[in-house]
Every structure is written in C-alpha cells, then in structure tokens.
Amino acid sequence: MNKKIKQQIAFWIFRLFSVLIVGILLSILGFIIFNGIQVINWEFLTTAPREGMTAGGIFPAIVGTFYLVIGSLIFAVPLGVMSAIYTIEYAGNGKVVRFIRMMTNNLASIPSIVFGLFGMALFVNKLGFGDSILAGSLTLGLLTLPIIIRTSEEALKAVPESYRSGSYALGASKLMTIRKVVLPSAMPNILTGIILSVGRVSGETAPILFTVAAYFLPNLPDSIFSQAMALPYHLYVLATSGTDIEASRPMAYGTALVLIVIVLFFNLSATILRQRMNKKLRHN
C-alpha cells in the first residue's frame, strides 16, 4: 500500500469520526428541541412554577441564571486577566511562575462539586454570606478562574514581540504598552476563554447546589444576599425529585431547551464581538 492510499484512508477515517460526532450532537439537540419546543410559550418564559412545578413557567430560574453568570464574570474576568498579565508581562518564567501555572492547571481539573463544598465552607459559613447570589457567584467565579487565566496567558503570548518593541521604541512605558498595544491585540483570544467560562457557569449544578440554589421561590431575588432559582438546578429537580416527575417531564425538556438557548446566546454574542474586534484590528 503506497503513501497516497494510506493518506486517503486516514482522511476518510478522520472524516467519518467528525461526521459521527456532529451527528451525535445534532441528535441530542434535535431530541431536546423536539420535546422542549412543545412547552415553550409566553407563559412558560414569564411566570413562576406552580402546582408542585408541574405547571407554570421558569422565569425565576432564568433570572437567577443571568444573575449568577453576570456575578461570576464580574469576579473572575478582571482577576483572571490581571493574573495573566502579571505572569506573562512582569513575572517572567521562573520556578515560582511555573509552579503557579501547574497549580492553575490542577485547579481546572478539580471536580465542580469540590468547588461547591469549598464555597459553602468559605462564603456561606465562614464569611457569613449564607445561601445567596453573592456566595454562588463567587464560587462559580473560582470555578472558571483557571480557564480565564490560562486562555488569557496564551492570548498574551500570541501577541508578537515586535508590537512591544515598537511601542517601547516610540517612548511608551511598559504599562502604556500593555494597555494600548498588547491587551487590544490579545482581547479577541481572551474573549474565547470568557466564552468557555460562560458556557460552564450556565450549566453547572453542583457548585450552586451548596451555595445559592433554591428548590422553589415565589418571588425574584431582591439583593445579592438573596437565594435564587437557577436553570441547571431547576432541571435537576424536575428530572429527579419533583412532586410528580412524569407530569413535570415536559417542563424539564423545556427548561433544557431554554438553558441551551441562553448558552448559545452568550456564545454567539461573544463570537460576534470577537469578530468585530478582529476586523477592527486588521483595519488598524
């Protein structure tokens, strides 16, 4: 068998696996859309659950999920990006920095339920925040922090060194170079990390189970110290421990569909923003 035939066989195997993976993904999405679209209507999106969560809607869970996503990003994005700037632009590549990177990678692989237990011990009990949006957001922020740090570091490394040299040659300081040259060039790739973190925050159940999520709330949260419903936990309750699991099953499919749409919305918004920034950088 010559090299050309071997190459063709390898290409066909890769193509077959790619089609298989896409097919499985589309099958799952199609199953959720087919079963979930039947319960999606205005009442489902704008009212609270009722009758033991076998009727009504999921509006409090939608609001709670948005609060947790925004709260975790407010905490994790500035801290993660500034940490990456320090390690790449200031700290060099010494033993301490390599140790920090190794620990960051290890943190990214820790199961989410461990973050949930840590959040409960520190934010809920030790700091006295109780089961609240603040405790849940901080816990989710810690969960996504390693992703944002590592992707931000790779984005900063990808900026050509000539950009920095050119800025210094024009008399700019290091801080000005980072703020005016390096960060704008790296921002599209930094957004990729933020996109990944949003997807993970939106779908996590274990961390919010111990820090914020409520089984049912008749009212919307009125402060960051209030408990909140969230779509992942609400879906878990509907599918496993509702008052009537069979009756609430259509609502579970509807909740899963809404959760997927919200994640796609965040991802699409960030992708459009990233493309616009790339286009602006090319024009500059």
Side-chain angles (χ1 to χ4, degrees):
M1 188 180 295
N2 60 39
K3 292 181 179 178
K4 190 173 181 181
I5 294 176
K6 287 182 180 177
Q7 180 174 285
Q8 289 294 329
I9 292 174
F11 282 163
W12 274 105
I13 292 174
F14 293 148
R15 194 173 297 166
L16 179 65
F17 277 112
S18 300
V19 171
L20 183 64
I21 292 171
V22 173
I24 292 173
L25 178 62
L26 290 178
S27 299
I28 295 172
L29 285 176
F31 178 77
I32 294 175
I33 292 172
F34 177 77
N35 290 284
I37 198 70
Q38 301 174 30
V39 299
I40 301 294
N41 53 43
W42 186 247
E43 181 189 6
F44 184 74
L45 297 174
T46 59
T47 62
R50 65 175 188 274
E51 300 177 15
M53 290 189 286
T54 59
I58 57 171
F59 184 64
I62 294 174
V63 173
T65 301
F66 270 101
Y67 284 168
L68 291 173
V69 169
I70 300 300
S72 63
L73 291 182
I74 289 174
F75 167 70
V77 171
L79 190 58
V81 174
M82 285 192 289
S83 299
I85 290 173
Y86 173 75
T87 55
I88 297 299
E89 303 294 335
Y90 289 97
N93 196 30
K95 290 181 179 178
V96 176
V97 174
R98 289 201 296 273
F99 176 74
I100 292 173
R101 288 196 181 119
M102 183 182 71
M103 295 307 295
T104 304
N105 292 334
N106 289 335
L107 278 176
S109 61
I110 290 177
S112 59
I113 193 168
V114 177
F115 280 95
L117 292 170
F118 176 78
M120 181 181 68
L122 178 62
F123 302 123
V124 176
N125 296 329
K126 186 70 176 177
L127 298 181
F129 295 154
D131 292 332
S132 62
I133 294 174
L134 180 59
S137 298
L138 291 173
T139 304
L140 290 171
L142 287 177
L143 180 72
T144 58
L145 196 54
I147 300 174
I148 295 177
I149 291 175
R150 293 300 294 139
T151 53
S152 298
E153 283 185 343
E154 294 304 321
L156 293 171
K157 285 180 184 176
V159 177
E161 197 60 33
S162 59
Y163 286 21
R164 297 175 176 85
S165 301
S167 179
Y168 296 147
L170 293 173
S173 64
K174 190 174 185 67
L175 180 61
M176 189 180 296
T177 299
I178 293 172
R179 191 163 60 89
K180 296 287 187 179
V181 178
V182 177
L183 267 183
S185 301
M187 193 53 71
N189 291 330
I190 292 175
L191 277 176
T192 301
I194 297 175
I195 292 171
L196 294 174
S197 66
V198 168
R200 187 167 186 189
V201 166
S202 304
E204 282 293 346
T205 303
I208 61 175
L209 177 66
F210 298 110
T211 55
V212 58
Y215 186 85
F216 172 73
L217 288 173
N219 301 312
L220 295 177
D222 54 8
S223 78
I224 59 174
F225 296 101
S226 301
Q227 270 192 291
M229 295 179 68
L231 287 172
Y233 183 64
H234 187 61
L235 177 59
Y236 169 76
V237 170
L238 291 175
T240 61
S241 55
T243 55
D244 187 342
I245 293 178
E246 286 303 319
S248 61
R249 196 175 299 281
M251 296 189 66
Y253 286 124
T255 304
L257 179 57
V258 171
L259 182 57
I260 289 174
V261 170
I262 288 175
V263 173
L264 290 177
F265 169 77
F266 277 117
N267 288 354
L268 184 63
S269 301
T271 301
I272 292 173
L273 180 60
R274 183 179 59 186
Q275 289 175 344
R276 288 186 176 179
M277 293 178 74
N278 272 328
K279 190 175 179 181
K280 186 178 178 182
L281 284 173
R282 283 197 295 271
H283 285 301
N284 291 336

